[in-house]
Amino acid sequence: MKTEVLPAFAGENELNQAAIEKAGTLLRAGEVVAIPTETVYGLAANAYDGEAVSKIFKAKGRPQDNPLIVHIAKVETLSDLVAEVPEAAKKLAAAFWPGPLTIILPKSEKIPDAVSAGLPTVAVRMPSHPVAHAVIEAAGVPLAAPSANLSGSPSPTNAKYVFDDMHDRIPLILDGGSSAVGVESTVITLATERPRVLRPGGVTVEQLRELLGEVDVDDAVLHKLAEGVRAASPGMKYKHYAPRAEITIVKGTLKEFRRFLESKEKDAFVLCFAGEEQYFPRAVTYGEADDGLSQANRLFDALRELDEQGAKTVYARCPQLSGVGLAVYNRLIRAAGFKFVEAV
Ligand code: AMP
Ligand code: MG
């Protein structure tokens, strides 16, 4: 199948209506289309059509037991997808939609098993990207969409990276420029006794606690970390978002990092913060030190750039674990297969 790439914008703030219509038509016909969102690019299909949704899993090589997020254009659509809309969901939607927050609730019978991977719950998000919004409207149905990368690779934040992974696998990619957030949405479940964050993202745990009071952070966000500390060489099964290079996160100050690097392979690459590249012959930067948002914005691109430059061994500077930095760390530690060392 030949993959067409169409510009999603006709002018600076004007949508390319012909491209949006084409996407809508393909989606209504049960096809898969890659679309820009403010988090990362998504691989979309009609969420009510189990057969269309199964094409997403095939295109990505995604394990069947990993459920998809359903994307909607209006808050009112949420009640079609879930068994019941609790007060907490209304609060979250009012505060953070449209935006990078996914809410999990017990699902309605309209959601096929292919979307929820057989779980009794469904994950729902309302994206803020104008193209995503327009495509959902043009399709006339909610769209199930995971990130538009091959399973295991870094999520794509522009149309070129989608094409690298998805050419000949899907009929259409809409090019809407770079994704603003750069990492996938925050995922919070309201299907547990207390709200629980399953994946950190652009909406921070601090913001969620301010709105809802007590919010748990799932063990899997932090617990695998603890296992990583103990394991000298963690298994590939913990590796996600991964470039071909072997990444090791190096904890410590810039000074300690530089000293640590002196004893390392001469051809090693460094993944560092903006301004630090002057100290290293082979460096790729990912955002400003102490600015989680700018790091999130750069991380996945930086991982792909390391591959493009042929990096085999990479030592990475460590982000802070608060705010959006938690999401950055969560992705980077998986890209590194949970491998890190203390520089001191
Ligand atoms: P992606 O769209 O590729 O970012 O992946 C969607 C993420 O949401 C994955 O981490 C899924 O495991 C998670 N997810 C989607 N639906 C559910 C659900 N019903 N329960 C728990 N996690 C979910
Ligand atoms: Mg993904």
Side-chain angles (χ1 to χ4, degrees), residues 62 66-69 104 119 121-123 145-147 184 187 198-199:
R62 185 173 174 103
N66 197 358
L68 309 180
I69 294 169
I104 293 177
L119 293 173
T121 52
V122 64
S147 51
E184 307 85 346
V187 176
L198 302 184
R199 177 174 76 185

Side-chain angles (χ1 to χ4, degrees), residues 61-266:
R62 185 173 174 103
Q64 296 288 339
D65 63 355
N66 197 358
L68 309 180
I69 294 169
V70 179
H71 293 73
I72 60 177
K74 296 192 202 76
V75 181
E76 302 86 75
T77 311
L78 178 62
S79 56
D80 294 340
L81 309 178
V82 303
E84 197 188 329
V85 181
E87 232 11 78
K90 288 180 193 157
K91 270 191 182 175
L92 288 172
F96 300 115
W97 281 0
L101 180 73
T102 295
I103 304 172
I104 293 177
L105 285 165
K107 68 171 190 163
S108 77
E109 68 285 356
K110 281 185 126 175
I111 300 295
D113 275 346
V115 170
S116 57
L119 293 173
T121 52
V122 64
V124 185
R125 181 169 98 82
M126 182 158 101
S128 67
H129 198 291
V131 174
H133 187 96
V135 172
I136 299 167
E137 294 278 16
V141 286
L143 299 178
S147 51
N149 51 287
L150 288 173
S151 203
S153 299
S155 299
T157 57
N158 61 51
K160 181 193 172 292
Y161 289 152
V162 177
F163 188 83
D164 287 348
D165 278 18
M166 287 299 148
H167 66 88
D168 302 336
R169 291 170 178 260
I170 59 172
L172 178 63
I173 298 169
L174 292 189
D175 183 351
S178 291
S179 295
V181 180
V183 295
E184 307 85 346
S185 57
T186 303
V187 176
I188 187 170
T189 180
L190 299 178
T192 43
E193 207 168 304
R194 279 217 313 222
R196 172 179 291 258
V197 171
L198 302 184
R199 177 174 76 185
V203 172
T204 66
V205 174
E206 293 87 341
Q207 286 176 297
L208 293 167
R209 285 188 175 141
E210 200 171 306
L211 188 78
L212 296 181
E214 292 194 276
V215 173
D216 296 331
V217 175
D218 194 77
D219 277 353
V221 172
L222 299 167
H223 200 70
K224 277 185 189 163
L225 266 175
E227 285 177 10
V229 177
R230 274 179 255 116
S233 174
M236 288 295 286
K237 64 180 173 170
Y238 295 126
K239 225 170 166 180
H240 296 287
Y241 313 111
R244 285 185 286 277
E246 279 291 317
I247 300 182
T248 304
I249 299 178
V250 183
K251 299 193 171 182
T253 63
L254 174 62
K255 202 169 158 200
E256 289 159 351
F257 185 90
R258 286 177 65 188
R259 201 177 315 129
F260 174 87
L261 254 283
E262 282 167 12
S263 64
K264 294 299 161 204
E265 307 89 314
K266 286 280 160 287

